[in-house]
Amino acid sequence: MQQKIINTQDLAFQLFELHDVEQTLGYERYAEHNRETLQAALDLSLKVAAEEFAPHARLVDEEEPTFENGRVNMRPEVKKALDVLRDTGLMAAGQDYERGGMQLPAAVAQMCVGMLKGANVGTQGYAGLTIAAANLIMTQGIEHQQKKYAEPMMAGRFFGTMCLTEPHSGSSLGDLCTRAEPQDDGSYRLFGNKIFISAGDHELSDNIIHMVLARLPDAPAGVKGISLFIVPKILVNDDGSLGERNDVALAGLIHKMGYRGTTSTMLNFGEKDGAVGYLVGEPNNGLAAMFHMMNEARIGVGLGAVMLGYTGYLHALDYARDRKQGRPVGEKDPNSPQVPLIRHTDIRRMLLIQKAYVEGGLALCLQGAMLVDEKKHAETEDQRQLAAGLLDLLTPVIKSWPSQFCLEANSLAIQVHGGYGYTREYPVEQFYRDNRLNPIHEGTHGIQGIDLLGRKISMAGGRFYQELMDRIETTIGEARDIERLAPCADRLGRAVKSMAAATDAINAEKASGNLEKALANASLYLEAFGHTVVGWLWLRQAIKAMAGLQGNSEQPAEFYEGKVKACEYFARYELPKVVSLAELVGAVDTTVLGMQDGEF
Ligand SMILES: Cc1cc2nc3c(=O)[nH]c(=O)nc-3n(C[C@H](O)[C@H](O)[C@H](O)COP(=O)(O)OP(=O)(O)OC[C@H]3O[C@@H](n4cnc5c(N)ncnc54)[C@H](O)[C@@H]3O)c2cc1C
């Protein structure tokens, strides 16, 4: 394996054996695809990732964009890579054919993007935000807005941003106060300051289309008074040509720990007469409109975290096979040759944890992507609703579990490298810094925990939670019939049982009205829930791998054996953590809640 972005055997296994992505080819939308066309898109993306993105990942980290004379300067390699992305059609891999896309199933489209993230998350950020902003206009905007703004974005001529955050309003978006004043011609003038806006300014495209959240003059307070606007950097004439510069000013760049290739900006809207903006969708419905896109965006965040963990793991594996150090425990002869690091059990432990986290995280994100297609294209309304509910339930987990555990994988990749891992001569420290963003943006870890425990598990009277647990029980039943997997199945069964007890206890606490107490350990619940779901996906991988070991296999026996061992690791070492976390949550422990300000 030349590239260290993904193990292509694992990718094929996960897509075609575990998740059976070919079943989506039964949906009319994907009728023109077959396994070969899906594979061709994946191969192309991996080639672009390895040849155009990975080579300058370090450069854009070391020479981050600068702001001089009102312009953003950055390495020319960034534009070159993005031009290739556009020219290959990968920029809009999941989009319709008529819009220049490849109309790929969601799981394949996500992977095409994911490989670019693993190769160079900084450069990929510009394309990712553009497609997210274009999707927002396509789903929420009127036809005229789609043609004028979204189509040039999907063609890679305009780039896009998401402008939510303000200095005093981060997690608490209901407090944002950028204001939008209606004009006689139906447009608006916006006034306010946004912070942390990724890709907020650059010279990579003809124009930048900002998707901005702001308040109308008589909007109600809180999240129900937020509207969504298109605010172009340069105004666009009706014939599509560019007009005057809009009143959007780059106030400065923010200097970050990682993700340095993507500009992080402070933007001032309306320093002069107001930035011209156009309402998207209904007034006061902006946050809901934005969140319409969030499920898919959050799969993207989770997958980004997986892919950074994955590349770190492959680098650590390569290093551990190459570097020689010390002798096996018990070997006393100082003249015996030194052995590769991978010969040491503790190194194998750290590699196995990384494998369990990144391959488990990948299975989780692909599960989410499969649900995206099911929710849109499944045959019956009932199936579509069920898929939508399951996706809603899993979204905070898909966003957060990889952000926590694949980041931990990155930390272990540094550890495998020893002192060298701590230097800038090896890329693993950058993967860690880049990945550290993922528990923070797109809703922090703490906010996702509150979302899962406070809202998602009890949606539709707990129907989707129960459906998920039933599906896990079905897999447990299947695994119990396979002798080698029966102990793993039992362990997962114990985790599910302890989660059920914790969930019941929290629901009772919520019913009694003490929400603060009920949600005091929401982050722990999120962790335990994520481990349970990933434990399920590991058991499903092991069932497929056992079948592979018994013949009829696409991959070598060693590959399947590795899958079963990783499942055994997860069941024996990781799943018991669910039981202890669930116990704490279920006991409605108030140690943390009870700690007062002055007591720190
Ligand atoms: C590199 C980078 C890129 C970004 N890109 C964008 C972008 O493109 N567009 C955009 O709009 N924004 C962007 N953001 C902003 C990002 O979404 C916010 O930083 C994030 O939502 C958190 O807001 P905050 O930084 O104000 O932190 P705060 O909201 O102040 O949170 C600080 C801490 O308090 C916790 N906390 C806050 N409220 C609660 C609560 N009610 N209950 C429990 N805990 C709570 C949080 O979990 C967190 O741990 C980006 C940020 C970074 C760092």
Side-chain angles (χ1 to χ4, degrees):
M1 194 194 320
Q2 277 293 305
Q3 49 80 22
K4 282 176 255 172
I5 298 167
I6 192 148
N7 174 350
T8 50
Q9 282 179 337
D10 184 37
L11 181 60
F13 169 79
Q14 297 227 16
L15 280 174
F16 297 108
E17 293 186 62
L18 177 67
H19 290 298
D20 187 17
V21 74
E22 281 173 283
Q23 68 182 275
T24 62
L25 304 184
Y27 302 141
E28 203 187 321
R29 178 174 173 81
Y30 306 126
E32 285 181 35
H33 281 295
N34 52 44
R35 177 144 179 191
E36 284 68 40
T37 60
L38 302 186
Q39 192 58 55
L42 293 163
D43 292 346
L44 176 65
S45 177
L46 186 53
K47 184 173 153 62
V48 171
E51 292 177 6
E52 304 292 338
F53 278 63
H56 69 279
R58 173 53 111 195
L59 269 179
V60 292
D61 182 68
E62 283 172 351
E63 296 175 37
E64 60 182 328
T66 55
F67 178 36
E68 285 156 39
N69 304 323
R71 274 174 67 99
V72 175
N73 297 315
M74 68 176 72
R75 296 282 317 184
E77 291 85 349
V78 178
K79 181 161 171 43
K80 186 172 165 278
L82 291 167
D83 285 349
V84 171
L85 195 66
R86 184 198 54 215
D87 295 345
T88 51
L90 281 167
M91 179 106 180
Q95 293 295 331
D96 304 355
Y97 294 129
E98 309 88 82
R99 301 214 154 84
M102 296 182 175
Q103 212 161 303
L104 289 167
V108 178
Q110 283 280 357
M111 275 323 300
C112 286
V113 175
M115 291 191 275
L116 304 168
K117 290 184 180 181
N120 181 342
V121 81
T123 295
Q124 193 282 330
Y126 297 100
L129 281 155
T130 299
I131 292 306
N135 277 337
L136 191 52
I137 301 174
M138 291 309 295
T139 51
Q140 308 295 323
I142 50 176
E143 200 185 333
H144 161 75
Q145 294 171 333
Q146 295 173 357
K147 276 207 144 350
K148 199 165 173 181
Y149 303 106
E151 287 188 4
M153 289 160 94
M154 287 189 290
R157 206 156 63 76
F158 295 176
F159 280 7
T161 74
M162 299 287 195
C163 301
L164 293 77
T165 309
E166 297 178 7
H168 63 284
S169 163
S171 301
S172 182
L173 285 172
D175 289 305
L176 68 80
C177 62
T178 293
R179 58 180 216 283
E181 293 178 0
Q183 306 295 302
D184 293 341
D185 64 358
S187 70
Y188 293 80
R189 293 288 181 282
L190 274 77
F191 301 87
N193 307 318
K194 296 284 179 181
I195 194 166
F196 284 127
I197 305 309
S198 300
D201 209 353
H202 51 72
E203 306 293 325
L204 294 166
S205 55
D206 296 353
N207 202 356
I208 303 175
I209 308 302
H210 303 290
M211 304 304 295
V212 185
L213 291 182
R215 284 182 183 287
L216 294 170
D218 299 316
V223 290
K224 296 206 168 115
I226 296 174
S227 303
L228 175 65
F229 297 87
I230 290 172
V231 183
K233 172 180 172 181
I234 302 169
L235 297 174
V236 183
N237 299 319
D238 282 340
D239 64 0
S241 61
L242 297 183
E244 284 175 26
R245 177 80 203 234
N246 202 357
D247 188 6
V248 182
L250 172 65
L253 295 180
I254 297 165
H255 303 286
K256 309 183 297 272
M257 166 181 184
Y259 246 95
R260 290 182 176 167
T262 311
T263 50
S264 265
T265 61
M266 292 178 278
L267 295 181
N268 291 348
F269 292 83
E271 281 183 348
K272 299 175 201 143
D273 306 330
V276 178
Y278 309 98
L279 182 69
V280 180
E282 296 298 311
N284 300 330
N285 196 37
L287 204 56
M290 196 71 120
F291 281 135
H292 189 261
M293 290 309 306
M294 283 299 177
N295 282 348
E296 285 174 56
R298 286 183 177 148
I299 296 176
V301 174
L303 188 58
V306 167
M307 295 308 293
L308 282 167
Y310 212 126
T311 187
Y313 162 55
L314 296 181
H315 279 82
L317 189 56
D318 202 44
Y319 187 82
R321 285 175 173 151
D322 194 47
R323 169 151 172 98
K324 296 196 171 56
Q325 193 68 196
R327 290 161 188 82
V329 174
E331 173 57 73
K332 303 244 160 47
D333 178 4
N335 293 315
S336 64
Q338 295 203 84
V339 295
L341 289 177
I342 199 165
R343 178 68 187 75
H344 299 300
T345 311
D346 193 53
I347 293 288
R348 286 212 285 268
R349 176 187 68 85
M350 290 190 280
L351 291 171
L352 187 51
I353 298 173
Q354 289 172 69
K355 179 178 168 71
Y357 287 171
V358 304
E359 294 179 10
L362 184 59
L364 174 67
C365 295
L366 291 177
Q367 177 66 73
M370 293 300 290
L371 288 168
V372 168
D373 268 332
E374 217 176 308
K375 137 183 145 162
K376 290 181 188 159
H377 309 295
E379 210 173 313
T380 67
E381 176 60 23
D382 245 22
Q383 290 168 328
R384 290 194 292 273
Q385 269 188 14
L386 190 56
L390 283 169
L391 181 61
D392 250 9
L393 171 68
L394 284 175
T395 296
V397 181
I398 294 171
K399 194 266 164 185
S400 298
W401 193 90
S403 300
Q404 182 175 0
F405 291 99
C406 297
L407 177 68
E408 178 57 24
N410 282 137
S411 174
L412 289 168
I414 295 173
Q415 196 69 19
V416 167
H417 282 70
Y420 299 91
Y422 195 67
T423 70
R424 305 200 69 190
E425 306 307 314
Y426 288 83
V428 284
E429 61 84 30
Q430 186 188 340
F431 300 145
Y432 181 85
R433 286 186 288 107
D434 286 346
N435 216 354
R436 188 62 187 83
L437 174 62
N438 285 318
I440 298 173
H441 70 158
E442 297 272 359
T444 62
H445 205 72
I447 297 297
Q448 301 297 331
I450 291 170
D451 183 38
L452 178 68
L453 190 57
R455 204 165 70 80
K456 295 289 177 69
I457 57 161
S458 37
M459 268 181 322
R463 175 183 169 213
F464 303 116
Y465 170 87
Q466 200 46 56
E467 171 70 24
L468 180 68
M469 293 304 150
D470 290 349
R471 290 186 185 195
I472 296 178
E473 289 289 2
T474 304
T475 304
I476 290 172
E478 280 172 42
R480 281 206 173 111
D481 290 339
I482 303 169
E483 199 186 343
R484 183 167 170 193
L485 299 185
C488 297
D490 289 342
R491 286 191 160 86
L492 184 58
R494 283 202 283 281
V496 170
K497 214 166 144 211
S498 61
M499 285 306 290
T503 306
D504 286 348
I506 294 300
N507 281 337
E509 196 63 41
K510 279 202 269 184
S512 78
N514 196 343
L515 213 55
E516 200 169 24
K517 205 169 150 199
L519 301 186
N521 294 303
S523 295
L524 301 190
Y525 184 88
L526 177 67
E527 194 174 312
F529 194 98
H531 256 52
T532 308
V533 176
V534 173
W536 170 52
L537 289 159
W538 264 116
L539 198 56
R540 280 172 51 194
Q541 293 193 66
I543 292 171
K544 293 281 179 197
M546 288 300 288
L549 280 171
Q550 263 130 45
N552 249 348
S553 50
E554 289 198 19
Q555 311 292 349
E558 216 177 25
F559 171 84
Y560 292 119
E561 184 59 33
K563 282 286 178 194
V564 177
K565 288 215 172 85
C567 172
E568 287 169 340
Y569 163 78
F570 203 88
R572 290 172 191 162
Y573 289 71
E574 298 287 334
L575 284 179
K577 295 176 189 168
V578 173
V579 179
S580 58
L581 285 171
E583 242 171 53
L584 259 178
V585 177
V588 200
D589 190 278
T590 55
T591 312
V592 176
L593 182 66
M595 191 76 186
Q596 301 302 307
D597 191 342
E599 293 162 8
F600 282 98

